[in-house]
Amino acid sequence: MNFAINNRDYTLPRLRILQTLTALLTAVILQTLLTFSDCELPQREGDSMLTLVSQDTRMVLSAEMMKKADEYFHGGVKVHNCDLNDHAHDHDHDHEHDHEKDHKHAHAHNHSHDSEQSRPEVGRDPFRWINRHIHVQEHRHLQAARSVELLPWVYAATKTSPHNIMAYESGSYILSDMLNNPRLAVEYLKDGIAHNPASVQLEMSLGELYYNKIKDAGQALTHFQSALNKSLQIDEPDEDDLFMRLRIFFYLGNNAWQNGDAIRLRSFYQKAFELWPKNPMTLAMEQWLDEMKAGK
Amino acid sequence: MSLIARQMNVLIRASLLELYRRKDLVVVFILGAVLLMPLAFATPFGFSGAHIYFNEMALLMVWFFSVFITLGVSTRMFPYEFEKRTIYPLLAKPVSRGTVVLGRYLGALSASISALVLFYAAYIILCGVRQHVWFSEVLVQAFVLHVGLLMVITAIGLTGSLLLTISANVTITLLIVFGMLLFGAKLPELADQQSLAGKIALYIAYAVAPHTEFFDLRQRLVHGWPAISWGVCAVVMAYAAAYSTACLFVADLLLRRKKL
């Protein structure tokens, strides 16, 4: 384009006008957006926009690192319906609850599931045939002795975002169950609780660790009680929160049963019954009550 | 030695000298060392003995650096020749334009492969020292297929350099290479979810774009899966050779039509 008139080049002045207009337009748009964000978007007192954005980014990164750990657990293969968290949520009590997000309580390395990646037919597609041979199609589970390979990602995930509760849960499972180091898992969970003081889940996991692995009922009881207090502070508990509360009642009831305290057991059973009357955990507590009545 | 072989020899040697003169490799090695050192000494939770993450990161760097070196070499050749006008004395000699394209391609490829050999040597030393495992069949296959990848990238970069500016060429080639690496295998499934126009576009991309994912044996190498059959390896290398040849034909055509 030629802006030369009477042998004078008007290109530069016109470009400067265009630049000024663009800058002004950008300023107006930004002003409008910021005004909108002040009035309309939910604000959290004390947190700047930058803090919120960086926290979200860190959480996303942390979640991706946990996905990587899960991939390592399956021999570098992305498997969608069998993840490390299923194993991390393994509980050492004999029941199978009817919760919507039931985890089936599988134990590491000896469970079966149809989790092979969906495989479209190769047909006459030579590219797909090559890909099928190049990339691994099946998956395997990392042996417990090699689960140290998962630790760098778990460590990085919680360092990236200390609010990733699932990472703490998975990490404690790897340390206590796969690497047989429950003391280290306790320290790790305590670190998680320090960063997430309101988390019922972490407090519960710590209680379970003391109860099932370290066999320290006293410490376990302290943490179950703490978990119950935190759970009762939730204003509008959802299904998951209520299920967690049921689990706390179950453990507290189990402790009461083992100590022969029928009054405490009945109290926890009644609370559990109000939450989930037909749940196997509630029914187990009912059975303990019957046994105590029968004087067994 | 025949005339063409001697001409090729000169062009290849010039490309190798150019790569090592620019000291890109030194920069890349220093960068790699800076990135890998903290990882090498990390002991999360006090446990040492985690190797997969280190191997994966090291191999990822080998991939990134080799692609960048290859692109750097292949995309700069013709633009610099045109800019410095060194292409004119070259074409004034009894050398066909096809020979120039092939010579430049082989020169860029040999420079890239020489860098790749250094990268893999560093990788083998790093992993060998940490794990006491030096060679495996998958490692050899990974190297061979990596050479195949460089064949394709060099051909694309060289062809693009006759059409685009260096920066545009590098950007587009990078997008194609990494785009196909990430989504190449999933394109048919993605296409099936699109409307007709999108479906056609994605199927054309699936047929025409370079399948860089064929050359990626990192998963098998890092996680200790068995090697693939050498027959499949040969098929992938044949694909690389065919794709590169097609690109070079286009490059030859472009150079013939180019007004000098």
Side-chain angles (χ1 to χ4, degrees), chain B residues 76-259:
Chain B
R76 283 183 208 175
M77 281 192 164
F78 280 119
Y80 278 177
E81 296 232 22
F82 289 125
E83 193 184 305
K84 290 178 182 172
R85 299 180 183 276
T86 50
I87 192 89
Y88 299 108
L90 185 67
L91 291 177
K93 289 173 184 170
V95 183
S96 73
R97 294 195 180 189
T99 309
V100 171
V101 169
L102 188 62
R104 286 297 179 216
Y105 171 73
L106 290 177
L109 185 61
S110 52
S112 310
I113 292 173
S114 75
L116 189 69
V117 169
L118 291 178
F119 290 148
Y120 267 84
Y123 174 79
I124 290 166
I125 291 168
L126 276 175
C127 297
V129 167
R130 281 172 63 89
Q131 290 168 261
H132 309 292
V133 179
W134 298 89
F135 281 102
S136 64
E137 194 182 356
V138 195
L139 180 68
V140 177
Q141 287 182 338
F143 177 77
V144 170
L145 291 192
H146 206 141
V147 169
L149 175 77
L150 299 192
M151 284 165 65
V152 173
I153 295 176
T154 309
I156 296 171
L158 204 71
T159 310
S161 71
L162 291 165
L163 282 170
L164 305 160
T165 60
I166 296 175
S167 52
N169 188 15
V170 169
T171 310
I172 290 172
T173 313
L174 275 179
L175 279 176
I176 292 171
V177 168
F178 287 109
M180 285 303 284
L181 187 66
L182 292 172
F183 302 108
K186 295 172 196 158
L187 278 180
E189 283 84 58
L190 289 171
D192 290 339
Q193 295 163 10
Q194 308 299 317
S195 61
L196 185 65
K199 194 179 278 189
I200 291 168
L202 284 180
Y203 270 113
I204 289 172
Y206 185 64
V208 176
H211 282 267
T212 47
E213 80 275 11
F214 291 170
F215 308 97
D216 184 10
L217 276 186
R218 285 176 302 146
Q219 184 191 36
R220 284 184 184 273
L221 181 57
V222 165
H223 292 277
W225 287 94
I228 56 170
S229 84
W230 282 100
V232 175
C233 215
V235 170
V236 176
M237 289 308 280
Y239 171 82
Y243 202 93
S244 309
T245 310
C247 285
L248 291 181
F249 269 118
V250 176
D252 181 37
L253 203 70
L254 288 169
L255 191 63
R256 277 176 204 277
R257 291 190 173 187
K258 200 164 182 79
K259 286 177 185 169

Side-chain angles (χ1 to χ4, degrees), chain B residues 44-105:
Chain B
F45 301 102
F47 284 93
S48 57
H51 300 300
I52 298 178
Y53 81 102
F54 184 80
N55 294 359
E56 188 178 17
M57 286 299 162
L59 206 55
L60 188 70
M61 279 180 206
V62 168
W63 265 68
F64 269 119
F65 293 155
S66 66
V67 169
F68 284 117
I69 290 279
T70 307
L71 274 178
V73 174
S74 62
T75 56
R76 283 183 208 175
M77 281 192 164
F78 280 119
Y80 278 177
E81 296 232 22
F82 289 125
E83 193 184 305
K84 290 178 182 172
R85 299 180 183 276
T86 50
I87 192 89
Y88 299 108
L90 185 67
L91 291 177
K93 289 173 184 170
V95 183
S96 73
R97 294 195 180 189
T99 309
V100 171
V101 169
L102 188 62
R104 286 297 179 216
Y105 171 73

